[in-house]
């Protein structure tokens, strides 16, 4: 139970050693994947898992590629709230719309799911350093887990990264290397550095780390009363969230613990939508696109080389879709979440709601379909979005009479 069967290449089938970190398939260069032996999991284990008092990511131990509990590095990640978007759902025409609120993860984004596992595995393998190239959220996450583990962290990022995000990684003591140019150029240099220096990369081609995001499936299954959603909408950059969630649900399906699989939806900004473009053109792999400006900054990845093809395959296998959202739609979803659901997300994290709204409008999703939007990053991650908020109204005199006048003008409910 909970044993790795193999590390294998999902493209050419070659298997590799599971006791060390290897960045890609030696034959074809593809991302590698973990195959877990789940054969020991029966109805008794299922019920015990659900009844156990343990909360968080590591309660799914049997599904995780770790051998030793002593290597666990945890900041209390996982088991984020699944909120019924009652009022917001009604407004958008849904009867059963849910928001998986990952803004409350320890470092404020979904990246903690994968890095909790990635850094724990680094401890288990005895590597001294973890490294990542990141638009911001992964940097903050990797450096926080490295700090907790006492490992050195090296973060490479494009020089235009939001200062608030760099500050988070810097506060955790990461060694930060800012690189001239965009994310994709930074990623190229990073790949060369991994080969040159043998770094343990906390990236979407780290097969151990990738297993962490399968936890979406297990949590949703538990939170929905052992059901899978009909639609699962994920903000998508590299594709890992989508691919791993699909893998998690397939594991549950193979165990007979769910009786359906969700349709997977990738939500991307129109300004940078390589997976959507490939999906629409019927292509089996992604082609690089030039990433234009978007407020969905964290998912601005023009070439999701490692997992783009997997995301395409899984979207199609699931009967889902890939959808590109324009800037006003992303802004609207961001504002709706804040005003009608009480969630302050970063725009990239809110794009799943924009996708839900559009797919509902177009009649792709039926009103009664059980739909989950993953909200993947906190609003405080991107301080510039304060600019999206309306300006402060003129100040009033500090007396009750002025306050009454203002409240009656604004029709603020003081009751
Ligand atoms: C806020 C946010 N949402 C979603 C994603 C997309 O994640 P994935 O690479 O798993 O597609 C990212 C990652 O860059 C992110 O930072
Ligand atoms: Zn291969």
């Amino acid at each position: 139970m909970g044993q790795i069967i193999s590390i294998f290449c999902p493209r050419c089938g070659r298997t590799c050693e599971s006791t060390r970190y290897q960045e890609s398939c030696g034959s074809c260069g593809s991302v590698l994947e973990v195959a877990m032996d789940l054969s020991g999991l029966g109805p008794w284990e299922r019920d015990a898992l659900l009844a156990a008092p343990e909360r968080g990511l590591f309660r799914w131990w049997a599904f995780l590629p770790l051998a030793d509990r002593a290597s666990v590095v945890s900041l209390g990640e996982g088991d984020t709230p699944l909120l019924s978007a009652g009022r917001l759902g009604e407004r958008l025409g849904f009867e059963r719309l849910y928001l998986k609120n990952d803004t409350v993860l320890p470092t404020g984004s979904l990246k903690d799911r994968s890095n909790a596992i990635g850094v724990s595995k680094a401890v288990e393998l005895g590597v001294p350093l973890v490294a990542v190239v990141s638009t911001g959220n992964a940097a903050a996450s990797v450096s926080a887990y490295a700090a907790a583990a006492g490992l050195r962290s090296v973060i490479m990022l494009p020089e235009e990264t939001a200062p608030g995000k760099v500050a988070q990684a810097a506060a955790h003591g990461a060694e930060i290397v800012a690189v001239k140019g965009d994310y994709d150029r930074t990623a190229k240099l990073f790949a060369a550095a991994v080969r040159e220096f043998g770094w343990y990369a906390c990236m979407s081609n780290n097969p151990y780390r990738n297993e962490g995001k399968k936890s979406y499936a297990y949590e949703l299954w538990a939170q929905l009363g052992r059901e899978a959603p009909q639609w699962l909408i994920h903000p998508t950059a590299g594709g890992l969230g989508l691919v791993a969630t699909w893998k998690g649900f397939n594991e549950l399906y193979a165990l007979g613990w769910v009786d359906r699989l969700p349709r997977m939806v990738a939500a991307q900004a129109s300004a940078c939508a390589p997976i959507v473009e490939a999906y629409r053109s019927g292509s089996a792999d992604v082609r690089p696109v030039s990433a234009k400006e978007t407020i969905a900054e964290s998912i601005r990845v023009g070439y999701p080389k490692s997992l783009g093809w997997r995301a395409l395959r899984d979207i199609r296998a699931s009967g889902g879709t890939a959808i590109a959202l324009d800037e006003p739609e992303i802004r609207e979803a961001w504002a709706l979440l804040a005003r009608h659901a009480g969630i302050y997300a970063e725009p990239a994290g809110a794009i799943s709601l924009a996708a839900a709204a559009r797919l509902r409008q177009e009649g792709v999703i039926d009103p009664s379909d059980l739909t989950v939007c993953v909200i993947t990053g906190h609003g405080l991650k991107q301080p510039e979005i304060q600019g999206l908020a309306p300006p402060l109204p003129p100040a009033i005199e500090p007396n009750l009479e002025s306050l009454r006048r203002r409240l009656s003008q604004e029709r603020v409910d003081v009751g």
Side-chain angles (χ1 to χ4, degrees), residues 133-190:
V133 57
S134 163
T135 52
N137 284 334
S141 178
V142 168
S143 55
Y145 282 88
L151 297 180
R152 207 177 141 199
S153 60
V154 173
I155 309 295
M156 276 171 121
L157 29 74
E159 61 178 342
E160 82 253 28
T161 304
K165 293 182 177 177
V166 190
Q168 207 178 348
H172 291 303
E175 292 162 47
I176 294 176
V177 183
V179 180
K180 289 185 179 160
D182 61 9
Y183 177 89
D184 297 304
R185 295 181 88 175
T186 309
K188 266 194 197 133
L189 176 61
F190 181 82

Side-chain angles (χ1 to χ4, degrees), residues 122-352:
V123 170
E124 199 167 282
L125 295 173
V127 303
L129 177 153
V130 293
V132 70
V133 57
S134 163
T135 52
N137 284 334
S141 178
V142 168
S143 55
Y145 282 88
L151 297 180
R152 207 177 141 199
S153 60
V154 173
I155 309 295
M156 276 171 121
L157 29 74
E159 61 178 342
E160 82 253 28
T161 304
K165 293 182 177 177
V166 190
Q168 207 178 348
H172 291 303
E175 292 162 47
I176 294 176
V177 183
V179 180
K180 289 185 179 160
D182 61 9
Y183 177 89
D184 297 304
R185 295 181 88 175
T186 309
K188 266 194 197 133
L189 176 61
F190 181 82
V194 168
R195 282 193 299 273
E196 182 72 16
F197 308 125
W199 285 347
Y200 178 91
C202 281
M203 300 289 294
S204 55
N205 54 5
N206 178 329
Y208 306 110
R209 172 187 176 273
N210 291 358
E211 294 291 284
K213 283 194 191 165
K214 294 190 309 185
S215 55
Y216 277 125
Y218 318 139
E219 284 181 27
L220 288 171
W221 166 73
Q223 289 172 315
L224 291 169
R226 302 186 189 186
E227 220 186 334
Q230 284 163 286
W231 295 91
L232 195 303
I233 309 179
H234 211 294
T236 296
L240 175 59
L242 189 143
V243 166
T245 307
W246 177 245
K247 183 176 182 186
F249 273 115
N250 275 275
E251 288 173 349
L252 296 176
Y253 190 77
L255 288 167
W257 294 6
V258 279
D259 51 18
R260 71 161 172 241
L261 292 167
R263 293 171 186 266
M264 304 298 299
V265 180
Q268 300 201 291
S270 304
C272 182
I275 291 177
V276 179
E277 285 177 26
Y279 174 77
R280 284 195 190 134
S281 69
S283 156
D285 205 348
V286 286
R287 268 194 293 273
V289 302
S290 80
K292 300 193 189 72
E293 286 303 316
T294 169
I295 55 169
E297 186 192 89
S298 295
I299 55 169
R300 190 170 167 258
V301 174
Y303 188 29
K305 189 169 173 239
S306 302
L307 289 171
W309 65 278
R310 287 292 308 276
L312 285 166
R313 194 187 77 179
D314 296 348
I315 291 164
R316 291 183 177 124
S318 76
T321 188
I323 176 168
L325 289 309
D326 296 335
E327 297 296 292
E329 292 176 287
I330 303 170
R331 266 167 212 265
E332 169 78 2
W334 170 82
L336 281 174
L337 266 185
R339 283 181 170 233
H340 299 286
I343 298 177
Y344 190 53
E346 63 169 295
I351 200 171
S352 48

Side-chain angles (χ1 to χ4, degrees), residues 39 62 130 215 319 362 388-389 399:
S39 59
V130 293
S215 55
E362 290 174 353
L388 299 179
N399 59 54

Side-chain angles (χ1 to χ4, degrees), residues 9 12 25 28:
C9 171
C12 75
C25 170
C28 74

Side-chain angles (χ1 to χ4, degrees), residues 323-404:
I323 176 168
L325 289 309
D326 296 335
E327 297 296 292
E329 292 176 287
I330 303 170
R331 266 167 212 265
E332 169 78 2
W334 170 82
L336 281 174
L337 266 185
R339 283 181 170 233
H340 299 286
I343 298 177
Y344 190 53
E346 63 169 295
I351 200 171
S352 48
L353 184 71
R358 173 99 77 78
L359 292 172
R360 180 63 211 96
Q361 253 170 25
E362 290 174 353
V364 177
I365 300 183
D366 284 337
S368 62
D369 287 352
L370 176 49
T371 303
V372 172
C373 294
V374 186
I375 312 297
T376 47
H378 202 288
L380 296 175
K381 287 287 199 166
Q382 205 174 326
E384 315 83 74
I385 59 169
Q386 305 304 344
L388 299 179
L392 272 187
I396 59 163
E397 292 301 323
N399 59 54
L400 279 174
E401 197 193 324
S402 307
L403 177 60
R404 269 201 199 92

